[in-house]
């Protein structure tokens, strides 16, 4: 069983930066796909970024230039560095792990989820 614990997030003005972290367990083989999703009020959970087991990063279009996903296999953490934040980035952000299969942009393909953390960007 993979247990994901998130930290970071909070409130920031437009143009600011935030860092999200996700601490995991049982990642010793480093084969999980790790992803970040977000869910705004009244909207479906949407893909933000993911990191393949081989270390390749994938991003949602609006996040490509502004966000960066990274993983520290030794520390069992995955992070999402967000810069140039916009009010439309406001959402609850979730980290997720997928045990089998490649990177997916579908939330239903992920097996384990963090508890979620609020990111609020004011204009």
């Amino acid at each position: 069983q993979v247990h994901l614990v998130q930290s970071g997030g909070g409130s920031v003005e437009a143009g600011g930066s935030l860092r999200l972290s996700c601490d995991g367990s049982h990642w010793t083989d480093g084969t999980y796909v790790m992803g970040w999703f977000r869910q705004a009020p009244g909207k479906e959970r949407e893909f933000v970024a993911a990191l393949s087991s081989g270390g390749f990063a994938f991003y949602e279009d609006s996040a490509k230039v502004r966000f960066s996903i990274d993983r520290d296999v030794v520390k069992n953490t995955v992070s999402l560095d967000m810069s140039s934040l916009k009010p439309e980035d406001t959402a609850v952000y979730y980290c997720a792990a997928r045990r089998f299969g490649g990177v997916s942009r579908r939330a239903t393909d992920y097996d384990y989820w963090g508890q979620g953390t609020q990111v609020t960007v004011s204009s």
Side-chain angles (χ1 to χ4, degrees), residues 1 23 40 46-48 52 55 65 72 87:
Q1 182 73 21
D23 292 348
E46 65 176 8
F47 173 80
V48 176
S52 72
V65 178
D72 188 326

Side-chain angles (χ1 to χ4, degrees), residues 11-19 81-85:
S11 298
V12 67
E13 293 185 350
S17 300
L18 286 173
R19 180 181 174 91
D81 288 301
M82 305 182 292
S83 62
S84 301
L85 283 162

Side-chain angles (χ1 to χ4, degrees), residues 43-85:
K43 295 187 177 181
E44 293 186 354
R45 194 167 297 188
E46 65 176 8
F47 173 80
V48 176
L51 200 60
S52 72
S53 58
F56 294 99
F58 298 80
Y59 297 95
E60 182 264 336
D61 286 345
S62 70
K64 277 181 182 177
V65 178
R66 302 182 298 122
F67 295 2
S68 178
I69 185 172
D70 198 8
R71 173 165 60 190
D72 188 326
V73 179
V74 175
K75 296 182 179 179
N76 286 342
T77 61
V78 63
S79 60
L80 185 68
D81 288 301
M82 305 182 292
S83 62
S84 301
L85 283 162

Side-chain angles (χ1 to χ4, degrees), residues 5-9 19-23 27 33-39 45-51 58-60 63 67-71 77-82 92-97 104-105 110 113-117 119:
V5 179
Q6 297 179 222
S7 59
R19 180 181 174 91
L20 306 180
S21 293
C22 181
D23 292 348
W27 295 4
V33 169
M34 298 303 304
W36 286 97
F37 289 77
R38 66 187 180 188
Q39 189 166 17
R45 194 167 297 188
E46 65 176 8
F47 173 80
V48 176
L51 200 60
F58 298 80
Y59 297 95
E60 182 264 336
F67 295 2
S68 178
I69 185 172
D70 198 8
R71 173 165 60 190
T77 61
V78 63
S79 60
L80 185 68
D81 288 301
M82 305 182 292
V92 177
Y93 284 69
Y94 297 89
C95 68
S104 173
R105 296 170 184 266
Y110 288 76
W113 291 86
Q115 80 275 18
T117 185
V119 170

